[in-house]
Amino acid sequence: MEQEMCIPVNHDDFIHDVAYNFYGTRLATCGSDKCIKIWDWNKQTGQWILNESFTAHDSSVIRLSWAHPEFGQVLASCSLDRTLKIWMEVDPIAKNESSRWTSTIVRPHSAAVHCIAFAPEYTNLTIATACSDGKVTFYSPNDPVKLDNWMTMGIIEFAPGVSTDSDGPLCLSWCKSRFAAPHMIAIGGSKENCIRVYKEKQPNTYVEVLELDRYDSAVLDVDWAPSMGRSYHLIATACSDGHIRIYKFWSHPSMAKAALSDSIFIREGDQLDYSDSGDAAATKVNGLRHLSTGEDDEDEDDEEEDDEDDDDEDDEDSDVDEDSDVSDEDDEDDSDDGNRSNAGSS
């Protein structure tokens, strides 16, 4: 049963990001009020309870990312103040702290940090940052327990020469499959208006695999779906032209390729329209947008055709029944006429 719940987060300005932890039992929110709020799910009451609220940065907090729970309760945040911070939950009494959450600044950047994402847990504790200086930088801690000293592990020059806060990469997403070697990441940016896939060729060295697509509008977000046993990857992109596009990506070393699978155009009022791909489908059920692939549509079309065939057969059966009724009436009329003629002759 689907339920909708409204959480009074009480941010004093725009909310920029909402992030669940691995188990979905903890929620973090951030916004232009420079604050981060941590919420815990209470099973007994069925409500989200505020765990902590604190001022995190000197400017708007743009993105949040939870690390895998095997590394503890670790949350990363980035801001327009050009900083990346790593937050750890501690015992305030044992640590003599006024807050449950303590932070470490990871090397101040030369430009605004637009997006962050922890790598999958099988790659160890690594985080990627996308900045408006055109670079994607990878960091890992020297000590995975203290998390107080983070080192630069690699850099991708996504858009060389970019230095303004409105340019450069805005979004990134890791490949989540542990069987897709080597490690891969998708990066999208508004300056280049494109999505590119990179792989780790050597430790801490990334090379471009292919350019997924190029657009006439800014790329706002990208997300790499879990593999779920498929022979290909699914990567979704969102652009300022109002389109959500879903690509199939094959990462075979000898022939990496991609193909547009679905494209959905979002109109004002949350109405969905299929514009670019014939096999795209979208329905809205109980307020939730559900996107389905062409295979499901083909199944539905087959079912509709079967229903039409059944209707045609029913119509034919009814026609046959009507014809038989007419023939029975004709036989009765002929019989009556015969009886009248016999009576007249006698």
Side-chain angles (χ1 to χ4, degrees):
M1 178 179 174
E2 297 174 349
Q3 294 182 346
E4 184 176 299
M5 178 182 297
C6 181
I7 305 174
V9 292
N10 296 325
H11 278 278
D12 296 330
D13 211 326
F14 291 111
I15 298 174
H16 290 296
D17 199 14
V18 176
Y20 287 92
N21 69 348
F22 180 81
Y23 298 109
T25 56
R26 178 162 276 184
L27 178 68
T29 61
C30 66
S32 292
D33 58 1
K34 311 174 187 178
C35 292
I36 294 177
K37 296 178 184 288
I38 310 294
W39 306 80
D40 292 327
W41 176 251
N42 190 310
K43 292 183 179 180
Q44 284 71 29
T45 62
Q47 299 291 330
W48 288 97
I49 308 301
L50 182 63
N51 172 289
E52 190 76 57
S53 177
F54 50 88
T55 301
H57 290 266
D58 296 329
S59 186
S60 299
V61 187
I62 302 301
R63 286 292 183 97
L64 301 169
S65 180
W66 288 97
H68 192 273
E70 73 176 59
F71 303 109
Q73 292 298 312
V74 179
L75 176 69
S77 63
C78 67
S79 169
L80 296 181
D81 64 4
R82 303 183 175 185
T83 60
L84 163 67
K85 290 187 178 182
I86 306 297
W87 302 85
M88 291 183 60
E89 187 178 31
V90 297
D91 185 348
I93 298 177
K95 297 291 184 179
N96 194 22
E97 299 282 352
S98 59
S99 173
R100 296 184 184 182
W101 296 84
T102 61
S103 67
T104 298
I105 297 179
V106 181
R107 294 178 178 270
H109 295 69
S110 60
V113 185
H114 289 285
C115 187
I116 54 176
F118 276 107
E121 72 281 1
Y122 61 85
T123 64
N124 297 321
L125 188 57
T126 302
I127 189 169
T129 65
C131 303
S132 57
D133 60 0
K135 298 178 181 178
V136 173
T137 309
F138 303 89
Y139 299 97
S140 292
N142 285 339
D143 188 340
V145 176
K146 294 182 179 180
L147 303 182
D148 57 354
N149 187 17
W150 292 70
M151 301 298 295
T152 302
M153 306 305 293
I155 297 177
I156 294 176
E157 292 280 353
F158 182 82
V162 177
S163 59
T164 62
D165 287 342
S166 61
D167 295 327
L170 293 178
C171 53
L172 53 87
S173 182
W174 289 90
C175 174
K176 302 170 180 63
S177 173
R178 67 172 61 244
F179 303 107
H183 307 144
M184 293 185 292
I185 188 171
I187 305 172
S190 60
K191 180 66 175 180
E192 301 290 332
N193 291 343
C194 67
I195 297 287
R196 296 181 187 140
V197 177
Y198 294 83
K199 69 177 181 179
E200 189 179 31
K201 185 176 182 180
Q202 298 176 352
N204 305 323
T205 301
Y206 288 82
V207 296
E208 181 179 342
V209 177
L210 85 161
E211 186 173 284
L212 197 65
D213 207 345
R214 185 173 289 268
Y215 314 101
D216 295 328
S217 58
V219 181
L220 302 180
D221 206 359
V222 60
D223 194 23
W224 200 310
S227 62
M228 303 297 291
R230 289 185 291 265
S231 60
Y232 54 86
H233 302 276
L234 287 178
I235 301 176
T237 66
C239 299
S240 59
D241 62 0
H243 283 80
I244 296 175
R245 298 176 176 88
I246 302 176
Y247 296 87
K248 290 182 178 179
F249 167 59
W250 291 266
S251 60
H252 193 275
S254 62
M255 188 183 62
K257 62 178 182 178
L260 180 65
S261 176
D262 294 327
S263 180
I264 302 97
F265 177 64
I266 302 180
R267 302 175 183 270
E268 293 184 1
D270 288 336
Q271 295 179 357
L272 300 182
D273 184 27
Y274 333 123
S275 59
D276 291 343
S277 178
D279 59 352
T283 58
K284 194 170 184 180
V285 182
N286 295 332
L288 298 177
R289 296 191 190 96
H290 168 69
L291 305 181
S292 59
T293 61
E295 296 177 355
D296 297 334
D297 299 338
E298 293 176 359
D299 294 339
E300 293 177 0
D301 294 340
D302 293 341
E303 292 179 359
E304 292 178 358
E305 292 177 359
D306 293 340
D307 293 339
E308 292 177 357
D309 294 339
D310 294 339
D311 294 339
D312 294 339
E313 292 178 359
D314 293 340
D315 293 339
E316 292 177 359
D317 293 339
S318 62
D319 293 339
V320 172
D321 293 339
E322 290 177 359
D323 294 339
S324 62
D325 293 339
V326 172
S327 61
D328 291 341
E329 292 177 358
D330 294 339
D331 293 341
E332 291 179 358
D333 293 340
D334 294 340
S335 177
D336 292 340
D337 293 340
N339 291 334
R340 291 193 190 98
S341 63
N342 292 333
S345 60
S346 60

